[in-house]
Every structure is written in structure tokens, then in C-alpha cells.
Amino acid sequence: MAETEQQPGSTPEDEAPTVTFMVPKKEISMVPDMGKWKRSQVVEKLLDLLGTLDQWIDETPPVDQPSRFGNKAFRTWYGKLDQEAENLVSAVLPADKSAAAPEIAVYLKESVGNSTRIDYGTGHEAAFAAFLCCLCKVGALRVDDQLAIVFKVFNRYLSVMRKLQRTYRMEPAGSQGVWGLDDFQFLPFIWGSSQFIDHPTLEPRHFIDERVVNEHYQDYMFLECIKFINEMKTGPFAEHSNQLWNISAVPSWSKVNQGLIRMYKAECLEKFPVIQHFKFGSLLSIQPVKP
């Protein structure tokens, strides 16, 4: 029986994809090459960037002033960032993407709080998420970096923001008081709750137990948020953090996570007082995505 003639441009179903094999070779020849093995060098550079912001806090102590909140030294600290933001971002970007630095630097400056009001809130936190998103869009951060983006970079960002809040007594921006999830943050509760899904022993009811928090906060983003709240606020937890108290009664972490995502969309992404301050450019455009 004659073979069936293959149509031009068609590919036989059983045709194996072409694979180019190579002889394995050493790639880690110097200590700096370890970045290829451990995590991307961009992640390391971002940690260095955040370390610089942390150092500037130490170099800019609070000033004596009549008002207890909103220390004006924050404006001095912010002035350093305003001047150096583009240089800091340029040091993170690959050389062929350096032209994106001015656009991406805007999100970095927006992510640390407002220098006029000396406040910080979920809109500023969203700006840092946008900053990381831009780095992904230009190819500086890769899919392989996704865990490090949250649990290394964003976690380090949180520590710097908490230091800012403590040092300069920043006001919560748009706080809903006891009816809000938290005065300053939201995203770490989403990512932190996802970290707990299918955990064999720790359930939502445990995060209001101060002993559990103190024992495990270094390993879990959600518990680190609770610890910071416990340090900053006084009185019964159910009174100063009523929303979180109610969440502790949810039976599973997956339900907590799903509920927080819906809440973030409703309370942050769809609220005019938050989104009116968000800035759009070529990387994060306000124009609808073409189908």
C-alpha cells in the first residue's frame, strides 16, 4: 500500500520535537556566579536597594516637634529617595532596559508613603506591587523568581515600611479604624494566608494566640503581620482589629484566602480614594487590553 502523501506545511502527529543536546559544562566558576544557582541577581539587587532605603532611615533620625505623629524628618528621608530613585532603579535593570528607569522609578517613589501628609496606606503598598510588576514586564524579573519576589523582596519591603512607620510615626492613609483589615497593609495577608493552605496543624483560629504568633512569625508572613499589630496596638485584639478577629473564625485557610482576595478587590482596587492616586504609563496602561 502506498504511503499517504504529506500535505505541504503539515506535521505528522507522531513527529517528535527537535531537541538540541549539549555536553554538560561548569557554569559556577566564581563566587558571583552563585547568583545563577541561588536566585536571580535582580532579586539580590532589589534586596540591596531596599537595604539602602533602610540605611537612609538610620541616617535620618526623627526631629523634635510638638506633634506626636507625622515626624517631618520623613520629608528629608523622602527627598533622598526622590533624588536617587532613577539611579536605584537603573542599577536593578539590565543595560538594554535602562530607558525604562524613569517610568518604573515613579512606582518606587509612590510606594513609601506621602511626603506631604506623612502617611502610608494600601495605595502605597499597591504602588510597590506595580513596581515589581513593571520589573516583570520588562523581563528583569522572571517566572522563576516568583517565590523570591513575595517572600524575599516584598517581605524586605514590609520590614522597611514598618521601620518607616515606627520611626516617623506615619499616619494610616484612609484608615477605616477597627473596621478595616489593617491600618497599613493588605497584600501580605493575602499571600500569607496562601502560605498556610493545607498546613497540617496551624488553623485560622490560632493566629489570635499570641504564643503561636511569637513562636512562628519568622516563618509565616501572615503571623508577622499579626505580631506587628500586637506591638503597635493596645487593648483586646477583638476591639482594635475586629475584622481579623472575625476572620479567625473562618474554618480553613483556603476560605480565608479567597475572602481576602474578594475584599482586596472591593476595598482597594475598586475604591476611588485609593485608585485616584494610582499612576498609569506605558508598562501599566489604563487602556483596555485588546482581545
Side-chain angles (χ1 to χ4, degrees):
M1 187 174 180
E3 292 184 2
T4 303
E5 184 178 344
Q6 184 179 334
Q7 296 296 321
S10 66
T11 303
E13 293 181 358
D14 59 348
E15 183 178 329
T18 302
V19 178
T20 302
F21 296 100
M22 62 178 286
V23 176
K25 62 179 181 178
K26 292 182 179 180
E27 292 283 0
I28 312 298
S29 56
M30 296 183 295
V31 173
D33 292 337
M34 286 297 290
K36 302 176 185 177
W37 173 254
K38 293 189 291 185
R39 54 179 175 251
S40 79
Q41 293 183 9
V42 173
V43 169
E44 297 292 346
K45 289 177 180 178
L46 284 169
L47 294 175
D48 290 342
L49 183 157
L50 292 165
T52 298
L53 301 188
D54 193 326
Q55 182 182 339
W56 287 349
I57 300 174
D58 296 334
E59 296 170 356
T60 316
V63 297
D64 292 330
Q65 62 180 47
S67 175
R68 180 184 174 192
F69 293 98
N71 195 280
K72 294 178 181 178
F74 174 75
R75 293 173 181 158
T76 304
W77 179 91
Y78 183 87
K80 294 181 182 179
L81 175 60
D82 191 38
Q83 287 184 334
E84 296 296 328
E86 286 189 27
N87 292 332
L88 291 171
V89 173
S90 293
V92 172
L93 292 174
D96 61 335
K97 304 293 184 182
S98 60
E103 181 171 346
I104 298 176
V106 170
Y107 296 105
L108 178 62
K109 290 188 287 185
E110 291 285 318
S111 73
V112 299
N114 184 278
S115 61
T116 302
R117 300 186 301 270
I118 313 181
D119 64 7
Y120 175 96
T122 52
H124 303 108
E125 177 191 72
F128 191 75
F131 168 70
L132 295 174
C133 183
C134 287
L135 292 176
C136 292
K137 293 196 76 171
V138 298
L141 289 168
R142 309 186 306 264
V143 174
D144 292 346
D145 299 321
Q146 57 187 352
L147 286 177
I149 289 170
V150 173
F151 294 109
K152 291 291 184 182
V153 178
F154 192 84
N155 208 42
R156 183 71 175 98
Y157 163 75
L158 282 178
S159 71
V160 175
M161 293 307 101
R162 287 167 180 154
K163 189 171 180 178
L164 281 176
Q165 292 154 19
R166 280 196 182 103
T167 303
Y168 303 121
R169 303 290 293 179
M170 299 179 76
E171 296 273 17
S175 173
Q176 299 179 38
V178 298
W179 305 113
L181 184 71
D182 180 72
D183 283 345
F184 298 109
Q185 315 295 159
F186 202 118
L187 289 175
F189 291 97
I190 295 177
W191 289 325
S193 59
S194 69
Q195 193 182 7
F196 272 127
I197 292 175
D198 295 329
H199 194 284
T201 56
L202 294 177
E203 300 174 3
R205 62 187 175 90
H206 289 127
F207 76 74
I208 57 174
D209 184 334
E210 197 165 343
R211 179 188 61 81
V212 173
V213 171
N214 291 335
E215 186 175 342
H216 297 286
Y217 76 92
Q218 291 181 321
D219 298 320
Y220 296 101
M221 183 177 281
F222 195 102
L223 297 184
E224 194 167 16
C225 291
I226 300 298
K227 186 175 188 296
F228 184 69
I229 291 171
N230 290 338
E231 291 172 352
M232 298 295 286
K233 295 188 176 184
T234 58
F237 191 90
E239 292 183 9
H240 64 61
S241 300
N242 188 259
Q243 283 275 23
L244 285 167
W245 175 266
N246 291 335
I247 288 171
S248 71
V250 176
S252 71
W253 284 109
S254 60
K255 289 186 179 296
V256 170
N257 184 250
Q258 292 164 15
L260 286 173
I261 291 172
R262 290 194 297 269
M263 187 177 176
Y264 184 70
K265 182 180 179 183
E267 298 298 325
C268 297
L269 300 183
E270 295 181 351
K271 283 294 175 73
F272 174 75
V274 176
I275 299 303
Q276 67 173 327
H277 300 294
F278 196 87
K279 295 182 178 179
F280 299 90
S282 67
L283 293 170
L284 297 177
S285 174
I286 199 171
Q287 300 304 319
V289 177
K290 295 180 181 179

